[in-house]
């Protein structure tokens, strides 16, 4: 195993779990939001404001294409599954893991996370964030090889299950 890709909604723990997985496996962690910021030279929020979501999604796709053969732990952005082209690329990757969580837990985490400004969640009500979340669930499910339930579990426990599942394949 040389690559694990984490997908899931905002607040699912993709970055945290990715960091721990990198520590456990000795692989490098690549965080999509960081890669995007490096490429665009400004914050994601500013980029959304100036160029809109389609331009952001195009940058995301180009990074996904570049990542196909990357060796490492790849934490994607929550919207990576929205484009069919991205889902097709994900389906070709061997270990795509959906970090699944209870909707209310996700919404609470996103609302409480003041350090990370997310244009699609900022100044939205829980009901509005749920409207972003719900249509994405089947897209995460169809793009993943492995689904891991994370609600109420420690990051260490989740990492153990991921490595166990990946080891079986
Ligand atoms: C987004 C999720 C964010 C970031 C951008 C759009 C989304 O990443 O890519 O704000 O559409 O769900 P995280 O999932 O890391 O918060």
């Amino acid at each position: 195993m040389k690559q694990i890709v984490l997908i899931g909604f905002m607040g699912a723990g993709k970055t945290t779990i990715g960091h721990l997985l990198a520590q456990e496996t000795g692989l490098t962690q690549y965080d999509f939001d960081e890669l995007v910021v490096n490429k665009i030279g400004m914050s994601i929020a500013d980029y959304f404001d100036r160029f809109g979501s389609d331009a952001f999604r195009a940058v995301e796709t180009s990074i996904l294409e570049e990542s196909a053969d990357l060796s490492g732990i790849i934490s994607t952005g929550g919207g990576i599954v929205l484009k069919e082209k991205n889902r097709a690329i994900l389906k070709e990757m061997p270990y795509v893991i959906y970090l699944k969580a209870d909707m209310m837990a996700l919404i609470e985490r996103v609302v409480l996370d003041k350090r990370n400004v997310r244009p699609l969640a900022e100044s939205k009500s829980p009901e509005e964030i749920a409207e972003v979340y719900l249509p994405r669930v089947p897209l995460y499910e169809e793009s993943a090889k492995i689904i891991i339930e994370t609600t109420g579990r420690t990051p260490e426990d989740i990492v153990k299950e991921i490595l166990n599942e990946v080891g079986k394949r």
Side-chain angles (χ1 to χ4, degrees):
M1 178 272 302
K2 67 176 185 88
Q3 182 194 69
I4 294 178
V5 179
L6 300 175
I7 65 172
F9 196 62
M10 297 175 264
K14 302 180 294 290
T15 302
T16 308
I17 301 295
H19 183 69
L20 274 179
L21 275 171
Q23 278 183 346
E24 282 293 317
T25 57
L27 292 169
T28 306
Q29 181 187 16
Y30 297 93
D31 191 277
F32 251 62
D33 289 347
E34 268 178 44
L35 297 175
V36 169
V37 167
N38 288 341
K39 201 158 191 151
I40 61 185
M42 65 181 83
S43 73
I44 291 177
D46 286 346
Y47 196 79
F48 256 79
D49 270 355
R50 288 177 62 178
F51 303 105
S53 65
D54 286 356
F56 171 79
R57 298 298 173 203
V59 177
E60 224 177 21
T61 298
S62 72
I63 292 174
L64 184 63
E65 283 172 323
E66 288 161 17
S67 312
D69 296 320
L70 201 65
S71 207
I73 309 294
I74 304 176
S75 305
T76 59
I80 197 75
V81 295
L82 290 174
K83 281 172 72 175
E84 191 178 349
K85 181 172 183 180
N86 295 355
R87 297 198 298 278
I89 297 172
L90 289 168
K91 284 175 195 168
E92 293 296 318
M93 294 169 125
Y95 300 113
V96 176
I97 296 176
Y98 168 30
L99 297 179
K100 188 176 174 160
D102 180 73
M103 181 173 81
M104 289 320 291
L106 288 172
I107 293 175
E108 193 178 277
R109 270 188 238 149
V110 169
V111 169
L112 293 178
D113 184 0
K114 301 291 176 212
R115 280 180 312 160
N116 197 346
V117 182
R118 296 172 166 113
L120 292 182
E122 202 197 1
S123 52
K124 287 207 161 111
S125 67
E127 291 74 18
E128 287 167 324
I129 301 176
E131 280 171 26
V132 177
Y133 169 78
L134 287 169
R136 289 187 183 183
V137 173
L139 306 182
Y140 294 127
E141 287 174 351
E142 76 164 75
S143 305
K145 295 269 184 319
I146 300 168
I147 300 178
I148 304 279
E149 179 55 68
T150 64
T151 310
R153 299 174 66 187
T154 64
E156 289 73 17
D157 191 30
I158 295 164
V159 164
K160 214 185 251 177
E161 187 184 348
I162 292 173
L163 292 175
N164 187 28
E165 283 298 322
V166 164
K168 282 189 210 157
R169 287 157 202 254

